[in-house]
Amino acid sequence: SVPPPLHTLLPMTPAPLRLLCRVWFGATLAVACLLLGAATRVLHLLPISLELSEDLSVSTAAVLFRLMLRVNPQIRVINTAREADWDRLAACSPAMILMNHTSFFDFFLFTALLPPRFVRRAHVRTVMSASIAQLPFLGRSIGDHAGSFKVYFQAKGAGFGKGDASDFSVDRARQEAETARMEAHIKRRGVLAFCPEGGMNKTPSEGLDPFRRGSFAQAAKYSTPIWGAALHGSTAAWPRDALLGGDPSTVALSLEQLTLLPPPVATATAADLAEACQEAMQRQVDRLATLARGGARTEGGATRARAS
């Protein structure tokens, strides 16, 4: 008989083996981050345009984090987003991608499943807490070198799974410059990816946290299409309070368009968009959770057990 997949066996194994999984994951993550740090610093020095340098930095991160997932077989990856979905998203840019956020693993999963061709075509950039961009070595690679936009929360640790989760106030003086950069990116038909909950959801089993209305100001102003990149299983792969991830788990991603143009987006306010997108994305997250628990079959009927 065929043995069951490794990820189904490991949750029943002793703690030492689970610890071994975390050590291996940590080692592969460290290698990926070191390579990314070196690569983006070289790219930043090359005589190429800033936009191309940032595109290549994001693409390099996608390739390295995808390789990292491939050498961690205890983490089973289900990717239901097809190339055609990413092509549709790129074709309707400028656009915004919303991500639910429950774990540190979310960033690595989302980035790993970004097709490099889509990155170069749509110039996707992320919005992140300024505190993340200050991480030693890695912060610069996923921050300035990748063209990411910073959010300057006033509460220490806010948006990074720490601090006062209810305090989303920002340093207005510093944030105005980042907002201007975001608007310029949208006008150049770029794609923005961000977490509309404003920070890490501490109780994902109770549903999505309220979407921050301010996050949708540009979408309302420029009538940009909004897509959802739903993530599932990240807290199993990297528990929120754990220093390091790598636990045996099944994680998944789906990509769906949440709003369409023309109306309702063309006449919607930021508050309207926040409410409508939260309702639509909650349904998307629920569907993905059901799929991941019930056999993980894609629309084409094939199971994708690794990042593809």
Side-chain angles (χ1 to χ4, degrees), residues 28 37 69 99 131-132 147 157 162 180:
T28 58
L69 292 180
M99 298 173 285
S131 59
I132 298 177
K162 301 177 181 179

PDB file of all heavy atoms in Angstrom, residues 28 37 69 99 131-132 147 157 162 180:
ATOM      1  N   THR A  28      16.553  26.783   6.287  1.00  0.00           N
ATOM      2  CA  THR A  28      16.252  27.109   4.891  1.00  0.00           C
ATOM      3  C   THR A  28      15.769  28.550   4.756  1.00  0.00           C
ATOM      4  O   THR A  28      16.073  29.218   3.762  1.00  0.00           O
ATOM      5  CB  THR A  28      15.195  26.150   4.327  1.00  0.00           C
ATOM      6  OG1 THR A  28      13.993  26.218   5.122  1.00  0.00           O
ATOM      7  CG2 THR A  28      15.706  24.717   4.330  1.00  0.00           C
ATOM      8  N   GLY A  37      19.061  39.001   0.517  1.00  0.00           N
ATOM      9  CA  GLY A  37      19.740  40.217   0.924  1.00  0.00           C
ATOM     10  C   GLY A  37      20.905  40.559   0.009  1.00  0.00           C
ATOM     11  O   GLY A  37      21.090  41.721  -0.376  1.00  0.00           O
ATOM     12  N   LEU A  69       9.963  26.676   0.228  1.00  0.00           N
ATOM     13  CA  LEU A  69       8.809  25.828   0.497  1.00  0.00           C
ATOM     14  C   LEU A  69       8.984  24.436  -0.102  1.00  0.00           C
ATOM     15  O   LEU A  69       8.551  23.439   0.480  1.00  0.00           O
ATOM     16  CB  LEU A  69       7.536  26.484  -0.050  1.00  0.00           C
ATOM     17  CG  LEU A  69       7.072  27.756   0.660  1.00  0.00           C
ATOM     18  CD1 LEU A  69       5.809  28.297   0.006  1.00  0.00           C
ATOM     19  CD2 LEU A  69       6.826  27.495   2.137  1.00  0.00           C
ATOM     20  N   MET A  99      -4.989  40.821   1.334  1.00  0.00           N
ATOM     21  CA  MET A  99      -4.569  39.561   1.956  1.00  0.00           C
ATOM     22  C   MET A  99      -5.070  39.518   3.390  1.00  0.00           C
ATOM     23  O   MET A  99      -4.943  40.513   4.116  1.00  0.00           O
ATOM     24  CB  MET A  99      -3.036  39.436   1.956  1.00  0.00           C
ATOM     25  CG  MET A  99      -2.394  39.416   0.595  1.00  0.00           C
ATOM     26  SD  MET A  99      -0.583  39.488   0.751  1.00  0.00           S
ATOM     27  CE  MET A  99      -0.355  41.215   1.184  1.00  0.00           C
ATOM     28  N   SER A 131       8.005  49.162  10.739  1.00  0.00           N
ATOM     29  CA  SER A 131       8.852  48.385  11.642  1.00  0.00           C
ATOM     30  C   SER A 131       9.419  47.147  10.965  1.00  0.00           C
ATOM     31  O   SER A 131      10.513  46.694  11.305  1.00  0.00           O
ATOM     32  CB  SER A 131       8.061  47.979  12.888  1.00  0.00           C
ATOM     33  OG  SER A 131       6.927  47.209  12.541  1.00  0.00           O
ATOM     34  N   ILE A 132       8.698  46.586   9.998  1.00  0.00           N
ATOM     35  CA  ILE A 132       9.194  45.410   9.288  1.00  0.00           C
ATOM     36  C   ILE A 132      10.395  45.783   8.429  1.00  0.00           C
ATOM     37  O   ILE A 132      11.361  45.023   8.323  1.00  0.00           O
ATOM     38  CB  ILE A 132       8.081  44.789   8.428  1.00  0.00           C
ATOM     39  CG1 ILE A 132       6.936  44.309   9.315  1.00  0.00           C
ATOM     40  CG2 ILE A 132       8.609  43.627   7.593  1.00  0.00           C
ATOM     41  CD1 ILE A 132       5.757  43.746   8.548  1.00  0.00           C
ATOM     42  N   GLY A 147      10.695  48.233  -3.290  1.00  0.00           N
ATOM     43  CA  GLY A 147       9.758  49.302  -3.585  1.00  0.00           C
ATOM     44  C   GLY A 147       8.522  49.293  -2.710  1.00  0.00           C
ATOM     45  O   GLY A 147       7.485  49.869  -3.079  1.00  0.00           O
ATOM     46  N   GLY A 157       5.054  48.626  17.494  1.00  0.00           N
ATOM     47  CA  GLY A 157       4.732  47.246  17.173  1.00  0.00           C
ATOM     48  C   GLY A 157       3.395  47.057  16.487  1.00  0.00           C
ATOM     49  O   GLY A 157       3.051  45.957  16.095  1.00  0.00           O
ATOM     50  N   LYS A 162       2.159  42.985  17.289  1.00  0.00           N
ATOM     51  CA  LYS A 162       2.516  43.423  18.635  1.00  0.00           C
ATOM     52  C   LYS A 162       1.822  44.750  18.915  1.00  0.00           C
ATOM     53  O   LYS A 162       1.076  45.273  18.095  1.00  0.00           O
ATOM     54  CB  LYS A 162       4.035  43.584  18.753  1.00  0.00           C
ATOM     55  CG  LYS A 162       4.811  42.305  18.473  1.00  0.00           C
ATOM     56  CD  LYS A 162       6.296  42.562  18.547  1.00  0.00           C
ATOM     57  CE  LYS A 162       7.091  41.298  18.239  1.00  0.00           C
ATOM     58  NZ  LYS A 162       8.541  41.547  18.287  1.00  0.00           N
ATOM     59  N   ALA A 180       1.661  59.764  -1.240  1.00  0.00           N
ATOM     60  CA  ALA A 180       1.944  60.354  -2.548  1.00  0.00           C
ATOM     61  C   ALA A 180       2.648  59.343  -3.449  1.00  0.00           C
ATOM     62  O   ALA A 180       2.359  59.253  -4.654  1.00  0.00           O
ATOM     63  CB  ALA A 180       2.801  61.609  -2.377  1.00  0.00           C
TER      64      ALA A 180
END
